[in-house]
């Protein structure tokens, strides 16, 4: 078992921040986790489990042990006439799992095509896009509690999934290592095309003639049009969550800005797009030093090349302050700032 010291993680975070971890280990087989438990590097240090580092901003050297899960394997473990349960190792790329489902004509994951990151990281923030969230197809997961590497098993009701949130981002933050995730997919033709851009693409096509593989291609196309390629400009997707505000607050805003878009959350709350708020502050495509908001989607903060993590965090603070001043709304980061 090889534990690296003072290891550069520049290529292991999608913001491409050039920082080091005091200790770093790659886990290729699940049983290596139990061996790791008995090392001083594990016992005496804080730890961080890293997927592809696509939702994290390092603002300084990580003074502890980074554990990167590289475990692989995707397979159907259960099936009926109408459904299949697919199990994936945590270290698989998320999009490999989606591709597997689409190739096997399993419906449910296609709207989540192209999301960067690993399968193991996906439940942590209940990833979502184009009208689907991970929780909609989630079956169960397993892994280890970091104190003593006790095995743990979570069903949907144990995960407390919410908008970009779960028990693994909250109560069990850094306390549980996800090693396997299972999903329930449908074998029946069932697509979710309510999201505006998808509706537009398929408006003239009868629903039953739309192919699963085409929906995946459409999603990949929408994403590449709107979102920056992390290989070109380091980024972590949406930097902030879309804020949820009261109906009363929304009414005030709507009177002032009749063009504001909103989505109903429940009878008392609505969600407004953070991208809209940022744009209205004049910060779409705004550049500050080595950081900027993306010119097509200002909710995405990009590294123009050599930004330090602190610089990006300060830019995020600057955006939060502008939005707060103009709208009295707090933007909450979606990205994990370390
Ligand atoms: N908008 C603007 N200006 C812009 C872009 C968007 O005003 O330049 C407004 C529009 O009103 C638009 C609304 O923002 O209708 C929503 O924009 P978009 O559909 O691009 O999605 P988003 O709310 O900004 C969320 C997720 C994305 C996900 C997309 C698509 C969050 C924090 N982000 O973004 O997820 O891909 O919806 O479903 O919920 C991520 O989490 O990293 C991520 C990229």
């Amino acid at each position: 078992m090889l534990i690296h010291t003072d290891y550069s993680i520049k290529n292991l975070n999608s913001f491409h921040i050039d920082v080091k971890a005091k200790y770093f280990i790659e886990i290729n087989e699940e049983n290596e986790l139990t061996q790791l438990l008995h090392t001083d590097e594990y016992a005496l240090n804080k730890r961080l489990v890293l997927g592809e580092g696509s939702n994290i901003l390092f603002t300084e050297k990580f003074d502890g042990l980074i554990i990167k899960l590289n475990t692989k394997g995707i397979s159907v473990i259960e099936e009926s006439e109408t459904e299949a349960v697919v199990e994936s190792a945590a270290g698989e790329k998320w999009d490999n799992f989606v591709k597997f489902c689409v190739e096997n004509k399993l419906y449910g994951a296609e709207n989540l095509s192209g999301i960067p990151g690993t399968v193991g990281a996906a439940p942590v923030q209940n990833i979502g896009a184009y009208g689907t969230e991970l929780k909609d197809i989630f079956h169960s997961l397993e892994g280890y509690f970091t104190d003593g590497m006790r095995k743990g098993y979570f069903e949907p009701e144990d995960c407390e999934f919410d908008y970009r949130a779960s028990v693994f981002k909250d109560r069990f933050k850094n306390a549980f290592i996800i090693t396997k995730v299972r999903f329930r997919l449908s074998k029946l033709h069932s697509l979710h095309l309510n999201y505006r851009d998808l509706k537009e693409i398929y408006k003239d096509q009868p629903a039953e003639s739309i192919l699963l593989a085409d929906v995946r291609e459409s999603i990949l196309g929408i994403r590449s049009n709107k979102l920056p390629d992390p290989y070109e400009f380091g980024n972590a997707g949406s930097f902030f969550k879309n804020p949820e505000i009261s109906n009363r607050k929304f009414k005030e805003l709507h009177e002032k800005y009749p063009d504001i878009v909103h989505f109903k959350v429940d009878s008392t709350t609505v969600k407004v797009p953070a991208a809209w708020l940022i744009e209205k502050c004049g910060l779409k495509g705004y550049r500050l030093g080595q950081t900027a908001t993306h010119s097509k989607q200002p909710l995405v903060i990009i590294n123009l090349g050599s930004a330090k993590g602190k610089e990006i965090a300060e830019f995020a603070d600057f955006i939060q302050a502008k939005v707060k001043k103009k709208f009295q709304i707090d933007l909450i980061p979606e990205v994990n700032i370390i």
Side-chain angles (χ1 to χ4, degrees):
M1 164 169 310
L2 178 60
I3 301 180
H4 301 270
T5 306
D6 268 335
Y7 190 83
S8 169
I9 47 174
K10 184 172 183 204
N11 296 325
L12 298 170
N13 72 95
S14 63
F15 263 121
H16 310 315
I17 304 297
D18 195 2
V19 282
K20 288 187 171 163
K22 186 175 173 194
Y23 299 114
F24 175 83
I25 183 161
E26 280 184 277
I27 298 291
N28 298 308
E29 302 290 336
E30 227 180 279
N31 61 17
E32 290 168 342
L33 283 174
T34 27
Q35 295 172 35
L36 184 62
L37 178 67
H38 303 293
T39 64
D40 282 352
E41 288 87 346
Y42 183 88
L44 305 176
N45 287 283
K46 65 174 176 180
R47 312 136 195 154
L48 177 75
V49 179
L50 197 64
E52 292 211 311
S54 55
N55 201 45
I56 199 161
L57 174 63
F58 289 102
T59 56
E60 56 189 13
K61 174 178 176 174
F62 185 75
D63 194 25
L65 170 67
I66 290 189
I67 304 167
K68 177 159 170 52
L69 279 186
N70 273 341
T71 52
K72 301 281 185 239
I74 307 175
S75 58
V76 173
I77 55 161
E78 236 179 83
E79 63 185 313
S80 69
E81 293 246 311
T82 55
E83 278 186 355
V85 176
V86 176
E87 180 178 274
S88 172
E92 283 283 356
K93 271 185 193 300
W94 171 262
D95 197 54
N96 281 348
F97 157 71
V98 177
K99 197 162 163 249
F100 175 94
C101 295
V102 170
E103 283 172 359
N104 287 282
K105 300 231 167 20
L106 298 173
Y107 293 76
E110 60 283 354
N111 288 19
L112 304 176
S113 291
I115 296 184
T118 58
V119 168
V124 178
Q125 56 149 350
N126 182 26
I127 59 168
Y130 310 108
T132 299
E133 284 186 330
L134 168 129
K135 73 172 171 46
D136 303 329
I137 53 168
F138 179 81
H139 176 282
S140 58
L141 63 76
E142 63 183 56
Y144 298 85
F145 289 98
T146 50
D147 58 335
M149 291 292 179
R150 283 173 299 114
K151 196 116 203 212
Y153 183 82
F154 286 74
E155 303 249 334
E157 57 277 18
D158 308 320
C159 298
E160 296 169 23
F161 287 128
D162 204 340
Y163 170 52
R164 293 297 192 277
S166 79
V167 77
F168 310 106
K169 205 177 174 180
D170 182 43
R171 208 150 24 98
F172 293 132
K173 188 168 180 174
N174 291 328
F176 190 77
I177 303 177
I178 297 170
T179 54
K180 282 196 181 88
V181 190
R182 298 180 198 94
F183 302 91
R184 189 187 300 282
L185 286 311
S186 174
K187 289 186 173 179
L188 307 176
H189 187 273
S190 47
L191 297 166
H192 300 275
L193 305 173
N194 280 332
Y195 185 81
R196 199 191 48 232
D197 301 23
L198 285 171
K199 244 190 205 158
E200 185 55 33
I201 295 173
Y202 292 107
K203 65 180 187 308
D204 298 324
Q205 221 173 308
E208 47 311 334
S209 72
I210 301 169
L211 299 177
L212 180 58
D214 288 349
V215 175
R216 172 171 163 78
E217 288 310 311
S218 300
I219 296 280
L220 292 174
I222 295 169
R223 290 188 71 91
S224 67
N225 270 333
K226 271 197 201 166
L227 299 169
D229 177 355
Y231 292 103
E232 196 183 346
F233 291 116
N235 75 84
S238 303
F239 198 93
F240 303 102
K241 295 191 202 187
N242 287 324
E244 293 179 3
I245 60 174
S246 67
N247 286 339
R248 194 163 57 85
K249 171 84 193 163
F250 176 71
K251 202 163 160 262
E252 275 170 35
L253 268 181
H254 192 246
E255 273 163 20
K256 226 166 153 188
Y257 305 97
D259 63 324
I260 187 170
V261 180
H262 71 291
F263 313 93
K264 189 174 177 221
V265 175
D266 55 37
S267 59
T268 58
T269 319
V270 298
K271 210 187 260 183
V272 290
W276 185 92
L277 298 170
I278 297 170
E279 183 170 353
K280 281 284 175 218
C281 290
L283 297 177
K284 183 168 174 164
Y286 187 88
R287 180 175 174 167
L288 192 67
Q290 277 297 301
T291 69
T293 52
H294 185 48
S295 57
K296 292 184 190 157
Q297 175 36 293
L299 188 49
V300 180
I301 296 181
I302 57 179
N303 178 355
L304 292 170
S306 56
K308 299 253 183 297
K310 278 213 166 69
E311 199 180 337
I312 293 177
E314 280 164 18
F315 184 47
D317 289 346
F318 166 80
I319 295 170
Q320 279 171 309
K322 289 275 187 196
V323 168
K324 176 82 175 177
K325 186 153 183 247
K326 192 169 173 70
F327 298 106
Q328 292 77 52
I329 292 178
D330 291 307
L331 289 183
I332 298 170
E334 196 229 277
V335 168
N336 203 357
I337 303 171
I338 303 276

